[in-house]
């Protein structure tokens, strides 16, 4: 096999490899873009779920605080009714209601009832606060998910340009390699400047009339 045939095979192989590299670069960028778009969609879904959970947790926090207040009010009403019955019983027994042990008994009942009411309210506040903490955590998850989705979207938008750059680099590298191969052939085979002689010969041929 002569130098020209060897060079031609090398050029053809380089051209095929370059074409394959270009195709691979574009295909990889497209695959990467699809993957990034899927990741962005998943991140958005997770963000939406976290947002919904945040809303539910906030609603639950409000409900528990309201429940604590309502239970406190109910306890005070219950205590007031009990004191009323207690005073009626004491009055029926002939005890003086505004002095002595009868007054102390009613005062103790009122004090204990108010303590119970306050404790009930505080439990509601604590339960609401725990739900509010959950809501804040869900809010942070939602924000992080949206940030991740935005990042994936940005990367997906840049993927085609990166693929084009990679393909261009492959093409330029292939062209440079082919040019180097052909240059080496001409440098090592001065008599092989076939194309120059062929073109010169063609220009000397006079057209027939």
């Amino acid at each position: 096999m002569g130098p020209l045939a060897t060079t031609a095979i090398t050029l053809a192989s380089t051209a095929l490899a370059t074409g394959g590299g270009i195709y691979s670069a574009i295909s990889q960028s497209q695959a990467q873009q699809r993957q990034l778009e899927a990741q962005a969609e998943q991140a958005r879904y997770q963000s939406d779920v976290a947002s919904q959970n945040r809303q539910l947790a906030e609603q639950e926090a409000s409900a528990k605080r309201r429940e604590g207040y309502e239970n406190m009010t109910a306890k005070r009403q219950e205590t007031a009714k009990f004191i009323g019955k207690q005073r009626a019983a004491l009055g029926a027994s002939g005890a003086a209601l505004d002095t002595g042990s009868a007054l102390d008994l009613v005062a103790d009942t009122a004090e204990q009832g108010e303590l119970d009411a306050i404790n009930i309210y505080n439990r509601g506040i604590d339960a609401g606060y725990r739900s509010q903490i959950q809501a804040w955590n869900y809010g942070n998850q939602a924000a992080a998910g949206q940030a991740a989705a935005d990042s994936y979207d940005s990367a997906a938008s840049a993927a085609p340009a990166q693929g084009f750059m990679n393909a261009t680099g492959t093409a330029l590298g292939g062209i440079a390699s082919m040019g180097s191969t052909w240059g080496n052939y001409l440098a090592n085979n001065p008599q092989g400047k076939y194309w120059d002689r062929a073109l010169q010969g063609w220009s000397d041929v006079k057209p027939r009339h």
Side-chain angles (χ1 to χ4, degrees):
M1 183 180 295
L4 181 58
T6 301
T7 301
I9 292 174
T10 302
L11 291 173
S13 299
T14 303
L16 289 173
T18 301
I22 293 172
Y23 176 79
S24 177
I26 294 175
S27 297
Q28 288 178 1
S29 69
Q30 292 175 342
Q32 183 182 23
Q33 183 179 22
R34 290 191 295 269
Q35 181 181 7
L36 289 169
E37 289 173 348
Q39 290 174 319
E41 187 64 25
Q42 179 64 22
R44 273 191 293 271
Y45 171 76
Q46 293 175 346
S47 176
D48 291 341
V49 171
S51 294
Q52 293 174 4
N53 289 336
R54 176 185 60 80
Q55 292 176 358
L56 292 175
E58 287 179 345
Q59 293 172 2
E60 184 178 10
S62 297
K64 288 181 176 179
R65 288 192 293 266
R66 182 172 61 253
E67 181 182 7
Y69 177 80
E70 291 173 351
N71 289 340
M72 177 186 68
T73 302
K75 181 61 180 179
R76 284 173 174 170
Q77 292 173 350
E78 178 185 341
T79 301
K81 289 180 181 179
F82 184 78
I83 290 174
K85 292 179 180 180
Q86 195 175 49
R87 287 175 64 87
L90 290 170
S93 68
L97 300 179
D98 297 329
T99 60
S101 59
L103 179 61
D104 292 339
L105 179 61
V106 171
D108 289 343
T109 301
E111 181 181 1
Q112 186 60 49
E114 183 61 20
L115 288 175
D116 291 342
I118 292 174
N119 287 334
I120 289 172
Y121 177 72
N122 287 336
R123 286 196 293 270
I125 292 296
D126 290 341
Y129 180 74
R130 288 192 294 270
S131 295
Q132 189 65 57
I133 290 295
Q134 290 180 338
W136 290 335
N137 290 336
Y138 285 131
N140 291 333
Q141 292 177 13
Q146 185 58 52
D150 293 341
S151 177
Y152 286 133
D153 283 335
S154 178
S157 299
Q162 184 62 46
F164 175 77
M165 292 177 61
N166 292 340
T168 300
T170 300
L172 293 176
I175 292 172
S177 179
M178 293 171 67
S180 177
T181 299
W182 183 247
N184 289 335
Y185 169 75
L186 294 180
N188 296 323
N189 300 275
Q191 73 283 5
K193 295 184 178 180
Y194 169 78
W195 304 112
D196 293 340
R197 295 201 309 273
L199 290 174
Q200 181 63 41
W202 179 259
S203 64
D204 291 341
V205 175
K206 295 181 179 180
R208 296 180 180 180
H209 297 284

